[in-house]
């Protein structure tokens, strides 16, 4: 591990200023991904600015009906929060489907969103990886790519985003509050994450010095009827092969509105806008669910080892919507 | 680069200077001689380094000691009251919840933390809908303990031990 200086930030503005003026600095929150990267040599900061004790650890109802989740709220606290469980069950479910109890007690909301891919080549500094070392090549493209992307990948990178939370937030159209060198701004989560293109080293549109301070959840009554379904190689404590976050509003057997996002299929959480469009106004039947899933996944381009993800994603979406609409009757 | 920190470990105040790169696990084991938490995978995947950190179970291998200045740490060593074992420790013995014992201090701390989480009404991945009291079925215990691996495969007896304490 490279030597680094450690500083504990006392307020967000000072933290942003400190990181901004040090090109080699990084924010440290729960550390469950970053400390691992320090050990692996994937991250080599010379200054860590600890933001875990900033007063950003509350969940509050805003006057306009939205809910603000502070960036330092621990994953376990967010998952157990009564308001979150009642109004946004898929958010709680997504968190509980990730990591382990002792990791969720450390990991923060902001850190969860900015965790990096678990592509084995990204984490192995002895292999080429464009995300870790731009221009070095992609080992997964022709290598072991069972867990990799089927949508939106490029010749440069076929990694997937690992966060479960981000998938649920994408379906919810949450907004990310960011404090940067130039002040505050709001980024819709649908615009936070990037597809790899020819710059896979950039997971998000954030720049050096940008700090996530909160995530705002919209007032969305149909989110009370939502679910997160995750398919993985073992029953617990594993990353998704495929996951689905969905919320539906069904009246008289007809889908009035629906929100869908996939995890485990792309470099960013995959909002299934095409499937949503097809489903609005349709009867809540398995035939309609399957047709929408098929249309959404039509552009899928699987790799040598992950063709199974295409039918798996489709059937996971169908099962999620079936569960939600049967419940609603 | 060195930093001075103070930790309260198993009821004792310990002040030390650590290289900023030191994990909490290495500070406990290598600097303070507190060897109850074990180094298994050192990547947060096995749970053998689990302690109660400010009252909550946490993996100590994925967190820096310097980030926990002032923290209260309870390891498996600190759970017993003198010669009287903690009920979870007692149950692990009664149910033969171990073979080699390497994962046991982490399992025990994780179980203590998990029981408190369930008592507080925290849901898990397998909790059926509805808030309120959590019933610790075997399925719930297995899910909530999934962050602790046991390569000897003592799982059935670990579940039995925790089930007894949960009752």
């Amino acid at each position: 591990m490279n030597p680094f200086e450690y500083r504990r930030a006392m307020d967000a503005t000072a933290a942003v200023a400190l990181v901004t003026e040090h090109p080699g600095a990084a924010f440290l929150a729960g550390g469950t991904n970053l400390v691992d990267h320090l050990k692996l040599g994937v991250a080599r900061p010379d200054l860590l600015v600890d933001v875990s004790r900033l007063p950003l650890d509350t969940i509050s109802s805003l006057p306009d009906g939205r809910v603000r989740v502070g960036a330092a709220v621990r994953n376990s606290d967010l998952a157990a929060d009564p308001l979150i469980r009642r109004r946004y069950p898929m958010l709680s479910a997504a968190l509980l489907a990730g990591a382990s109890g002792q990791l969720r007690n450390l990991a923060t909301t902001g850190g969860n969103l900015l965790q990096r891919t678990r592509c084995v080549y990204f984490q192995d500094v002895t292999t080429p990886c464009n995300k870790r070392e731009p221009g070095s090549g992609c080992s997964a493209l022709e290598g072991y790519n069972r867990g990799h992307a089927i949508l939106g990948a490029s010749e440069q990178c076929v990694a997937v985003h690992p966060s479960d939370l981000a998938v649920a937030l994408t379906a919810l159209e949450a907004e990310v509050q960011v404090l940067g060198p130039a002040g505050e701004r709001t980024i819709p989560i649908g615009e936070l994450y990037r597809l790899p293109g020819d710059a896979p080293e950039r997971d998000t549109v954030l720049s050096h010095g940008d700090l996530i301070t909160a995530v705002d959840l919209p007032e969305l009554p149909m989110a009370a009827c939502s679910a997160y379904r995750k398919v993985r190689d073992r029953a617990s404590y594993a990353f998704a092969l495929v996951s689905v976050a969905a919320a539906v509003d069904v009246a008289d057997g007809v889908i009035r509105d629906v929100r869908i996002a996939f995890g485990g299929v792309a470099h960013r959480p995959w909002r299934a806008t095409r499937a949503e469009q097809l489903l609005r106004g349709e009867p809540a039947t398995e035939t309609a669910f399957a047709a929408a899933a098929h249309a959404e996944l039509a552009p899928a381009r699987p790799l040598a080892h992950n063709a199974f993800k295409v039918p798996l994603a489709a059937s996971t979406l169908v099962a999620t919507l079936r569960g939600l609409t049967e419940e609603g009757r | 680069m060195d930093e001075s920190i103070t930790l309260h470990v198993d009821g004792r105040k310990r002040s030390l200077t650590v290289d900023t790169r030191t994990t909490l696990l290495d500070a406990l084991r290598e600097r303070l001689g507190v060897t109850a938490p074990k180094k298994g995978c050192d990547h947060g995947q096995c749970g053998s380094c689990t302690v109660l950190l400010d009252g909550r179970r946490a993996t100590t291998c994925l967190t820096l000691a310097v980030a926990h200045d002032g923290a209260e740490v309870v390891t498996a060593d600190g759970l017993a009251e003198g010669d009287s074992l903690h009920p979870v420790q007692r149950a692990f013995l009664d149910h033969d919840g171990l073979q080699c014992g390497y994962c046991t201090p982490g399992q025990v701390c994780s179980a203590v933390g998990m029981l408190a989480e369930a008592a507080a009404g925290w849901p898990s991945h397998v909790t059926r809908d509805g808030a309120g009291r959590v019933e610790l079925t075997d399925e719930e215990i297995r899910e909530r303990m999934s962050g602790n691996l046991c390569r000897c495969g003592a799982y059935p007896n670990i579940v039995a031990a925790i089930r007894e304490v949960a009752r």
Side-chain angles (χ1 to χ4, degrees):
Chain A
M1 211 187 288
N2 281 14
F4 54 80
E5 192 185 335
Y6 169 91
R7 301 275 285 277
R8 181 174 301 148
M10 298 322 268
D11 69 78
T13 309
V16 167
L18 200 51
V19 168
T20 302
E21 68 200 30
H22 287 82
F27 293 113
L28 171 71
T32 55
N33 194 206
L34 180 54
V35 174
D36 204 24
H37 285 168
L38 298 176
K39 293 181 186 190
L40 295 168
V42 171
R44 290 186 294 268
D46 55 26
L47 168 66
L48 285 184
V49 177
D50 187 349
V51 292
S52 65
R53 299 198 200 185
L54 293 181
L56 301 171
D57 58 349
T58 56
I59 301 166
S60 50
S61 296
L62 300 179
D64 59 6
R66 292 181 301 154
V67 174
R68 175 160 293 179
V69 179
V73 172
R74 306 286 165 169
N75 287 180
S76 50
D77 289 312
L78 186 58
D81 187 82
L83 182 69
I84 299 297
R85 291 171 69 185
R86 191 173 68 248
R87 285 182 57 181
Y88 312 99
M90 69 169 151
L91 197 59
S92 176
L95 287 161
L96 294 172
S100 65
Q102 48 269 64
L103 289 173
R104 290 192 293 270
N105 278 339
L106 292 168
T108 64
T109 305
N112 185 309
L113 295 185
L114 297 182
Q115 65 177 305
R116 309 207 66 195
T117 186
R118 294 319 195 274
C119 173
V120 291
Y121 303 106
F122 174 73
Q123 298 193 115
D124 178 354
V125 296
T126 66
T127 61
C129 168
N130 287 323
K131 184 180 279 298
R132 179 169 31 76
E133 206 180 316
S136 63
C138 173
S139 301
L141 199 58
E142 301 297 329
Y144 182 69
N145 49 37
R146 180 171 172 271
H148 291 70
I150 55 172
L151 289 163
S154 73
E155 288 291 305
Q156 300 288 310
C157 180
V158 293
V160 297
H161 198 267
S163 169
D164 294 295
L165 172 64
V167 179
L169 292 176
T170 296
L172 285 169
E173 290 185 358
E175 292 184 324
V176 180
Q177 302 297 339
V178 176
L179 181 65
E184 295 177 30
R185 68 190 194 277
T186 301
I187 303 176
I189 192 150
E191 295 167 22
L192 176 68
Y193 295 106
R194 297 179 66 260
L195 287 177
D198 56 9
E201 70 277 13
R202 295 185 60 206
D203 296 350
T204 70
V205 299
L206 298 181
S207 303
H208 184 74
D210 280 340
L211 176 70
I212 294 178
T213 55
V215 176
D216 291 345
L217 312 176
E219 184 180 27
L220 187 71
M222 75 169 171
C225 180
S226 67
Y228 187 76
R229 193 176 180 111
K230 180 174 179 177
V231 184
R232 41 189 164 173
D233 280 328
R234 54 188 187 197
S236 183
Y237 200 15
F239 288 94
L241 294 168
V242 160
S243 68
V244 169
V248 285
D249 176 4
V250 179
D252 302 323
V254 174
I255 298 169
R256 294 204 302 195
D257 201 1
V258 61
R259 296 282 187 84
I260 301 164
F262 285 108
V265 298
H267 193 261
R268 67 181 184 205
W270 190 266
R271 178 78 182 272
T273 44
R274 194 180 166 88
E276 291 178 9
Q277 280 164 11
L278 286 170
L279 285 169
R280 285 194 190 98
E282 288 295 307
T285 62
E286 197 145 330
T287 314
F289 303 156
H294 184 76
E296 185 66 46
L297 293 161
R301 295 288 174 271
L303 303 161
H305 305 128
N306 69 1
F308 73 96
K309 281 194 176 189
V310 181
L312 184 62
S315 55
T316 305
L317 175 56
V318 170
T320 308
L321 293 175
R322 184 174 55 217
L324 284 172
T325 51
E326 277 171 0
E327 224 169 79
R329 268 172 208 150
Chain B
M1 289 165 212
D2 290 345
E3 290 280 341
S4 295
I5 60 169
T6 298
L7 298 169
H8 303 268
V9 183
D10 294 334
R12 277 181 68 196
K13 184 176 172 181
R14 312 287 296 267
S15 295
L16 67 162
T17 299
V18 291
D19 184 299
T20 53
R21 293 171 288 184
T22 313
T23 61
L24 182 55
L25 177 62
D26 285 341
L28 290 168
R29 289 183 58 85
E30 308 298 333
R31 299 295 312 286
L32 298 178
V34 178
T35 55
K38 300 291 185 280
K39 186 178 279 193
C41 70
D42 208 24
H43 291 284
Q45 297 170 6
C46 77
S48 67
C49 67
T50 303
V51 303
L52 299 172
L53 178 60
D54 291 324
R56 291 181 172 199
R57 56 177 170 160
T59 43
T60 51
C61 72
L62 286 188
T63 196
L64 299 172
V66 70
H68 295 284
D69 184 26
E72 191 195 319
V73 177
V74 176
T75 74
D77 270 352
L79 287 171
E81 304 243 0
D83 287 340
S84 168
L85 292 178
H86 186 282
V88 172
Q89 292 173 316
R90 183 77 254 162
F92 267 68
L93 284 178
D94 291 347
H95 290 272
D96 213 7
L98 60 141
Q99 186 175 310
C100 82
Y102 195 81
C103 72
T104 311
Q107 297 273 3
V108 166
C109 285
S110 187
V112 171
M114 179 277 266
L115 288 164
E117 292 166 7
W122 287 16
S124 84
H125 174 62
V126 301
T127 306
R128 306 284 169 251
D129 240 23
R133 208 174 149 274
V134 174
E135 191 194 343
L136 284 178
T137 60
D138 286 7
E139 186 192 21
E140 283 278 4
I141 293 170
R142 287 178 183 276
E143 164 59 27
R144 288 166 189 266
M145 293 295 292
S146 70
N148 292 84
L149 304 186
C150 169
R151 290 296 78 152
C152 301
Y155 297 114
N157 296 358
I158 292 170
V159 172
I162 296 171
R163 188 199 305 133
E164 183 193 284
V165 181
R167 237 189 251 129

